[in-house]
Amino acid sequence: MSIQNKVALVTGAASGIGRAAAFLLAREGADVLIADSDAAGAQNVCDAIVAQGGRAGWAVCDLGEADQIRSLVGRALAQYERIDVLVHAAGICRAAPLLDLSDEQWRETLRINLDGTFFLTRDVGRAMAARGSGTMILLTSDRGVYGSIDYAHYAASKGGMIALTRSLALALGKHGVTVNGLNPGMTDTPLARGANPLSWDAKVAADVLGKASLPEEIAQTILFLAGTGGAYTTGQILGTRIRHGQ
Ligand SMILES: NC(=O)c1ccc[n+]([C@@H]2O[C@H](COP(=O)([O-])OP(=O)(O)OC[C@H]3O[C@@H](n4cnc5c(N)ncnc54)[C@H](O)[C@@H]3O)[C@@H](O)[C@H]2O)c1
């Protein structure tokens, strides 16, 4: 199943995994709408895709805010008439030991990573269900499965996203819509490098493959789920690494 001429909304596409996914989907012939809170970053990615001959637009949006998400989805539908693929890669990951976590740190991470995911997938899900087709790929995390001492708020948000992924798959399957989560494992992005309290090199050495993934490699799995895989796979949480404890 090709993604040629599909409409893809890619969040968090100013950086990292979302950025790599936006480039790859555009290269494969999709119309890509980039959404991020970083306006300059989103515009740069959009300009670079267009300069390479791809089709892209961009929108600034705080993906933790329901009203901004509603406007984003409304704009996408007004401009493209449909959303075939949603790649939701916007998210934050900020270290704080569990017992030192403030109310504000907890709420901010849950607001962006979990509340925003619900608002976005509900609004996009309504449009996809009404049309009878679509696929969603949500960037989740191994920490949402295994927990974390220094990222309990992040782990809780990602665990919530995993449960939401499965609920969306159950609710939307009969409407022709598939929904999958992707735990990318340690991937070389500003988020991963900035969030690690241990040195990056020590984390890489501890990895079972002894290396971090590249965003471009994770984008290949996103492409698979956006196309062929998304036709018959739903409610799955794909990972990239076997785990041997935190
Ligand atoms: N990199 C990793 O090792 C790793 C591991 C597990 C999960 N993930 C998940 O993958 C996704 C992408 O992460 P990444 O590593 O590419 O990070 P990144 O920091 O490179 O990119 C995240 C993007 O999200 C945007 N963003 C943050 N808050 C936002 C908001 N409120 N509204 C709109 N945009 C917002 C940022 O501006 C940025 O462009 C995240 O959900 C992250 O939790 C990453």
Side-chain angles (χ1 to χ4, degrees):
M1 204 173 91
S2 161
I3 60 146
Q4 180 84 35
N5 297 325
K6 299 256 167 152
V7 176
L9 171 58
V10 186
T11 75
S15 174
I17 295 168
R19 179 178 184 279
F23 272 104
L24 183 58
L25 294 175
R27 225 169 33 240
E28 293 292 320
D31 270 293
V32 176
L33 178 58
I34 291 157
D36 205 291
S37 53
D38 172 1
Q43 185 169 13
N44 282 343
V45 172
C46 178
D47 290 349
I49 288 173
V50 171
Q52 292 178 5
R55 295 186 306 276
W58 67 278
V60 63
C61 179
D62 181 341
L63 282 146
E65 293 301 307
D67 53 346
Q68 292 192 36
I69 290 168
R70 199 173 303 119
S71 300
L72 171 70
V73 174
R75 180 197 144 169
L77 293 173
Q79 190 171 343
Y80 301 99
E81 293 179 353
R82 64 187 199 279
I83 299 168
D84 299 305
V85 176
L86 170 66
V87 178
H88 183 37
I92 60 169
C93 178
R94 294 171 187 156
L98 198 159
L99 296 182
D100 297 337
L101 258 177
S102 69
D103 299 0
E104 291 70 27
Q105 286 170 315
W106 173 268
R107 287 203 187 101
E108 181 65 353
T109 295
L110 272 288
R111 178 183 78 83
I112 295 171
N113 290 3
L114 186 55
D115 294 357
T117 302
F118 167 65
F119 301 139
L120 179 68
T121 54
R122 178 195 57 190
D123 292 359
V124 172
R126 283 175 178 155
M128 287 181 170
R131 208 165 169 268
S133 69
T135 191
M136 302 186 194
I137 300 116
L138 312 183
L139 272 295
T140 47
S141 169
D142 286 337
R143 290 186 198 275
V145 179
Y146 299 106
S148 175
I149 297 170
D150 290 326
Y151 300 90
H153 47 338
Y154 178 76
S157 72
K158 293 294 176 177
M161 282 181 71
I162 288 169
L164 181 59
T165 299
R166 295 189 171 123
S167 299
L168 286 161
L170 291 170
L172 296 177
K174 290 280 181 356
H175 298 281
V177 180
T178 59
V179 187
N180 292 293
L182 174 57
N183 293 347
M186 190 173 48
T187 306
D188 194 351
T189 68
L191 177 146
R193 284 188 179 254
N196 279 328
L198 297 175
S199 80
W200 175 253
D201 290 347
K203 291 291 276 188
V204 169
D207 182 82
V208 68
L209 292 179
K211 64 177 185 178
S213 299
L214 299 175
E216 291 73 18
E217 293 172 324
I218 302 304
Q220 292 288 345
T221 307
I222 292 171
L223 175 65
F224 167 71
L225 288 172
T228 312
Y232 61 85
T233 307
T234 198
Q236 301 305 300
I237 309 299
L238 273 73
T240 66
R241 300 289 200 278
I242 187 169
R243 300 291 298 210
H244 52 89
Q246 291 285 79

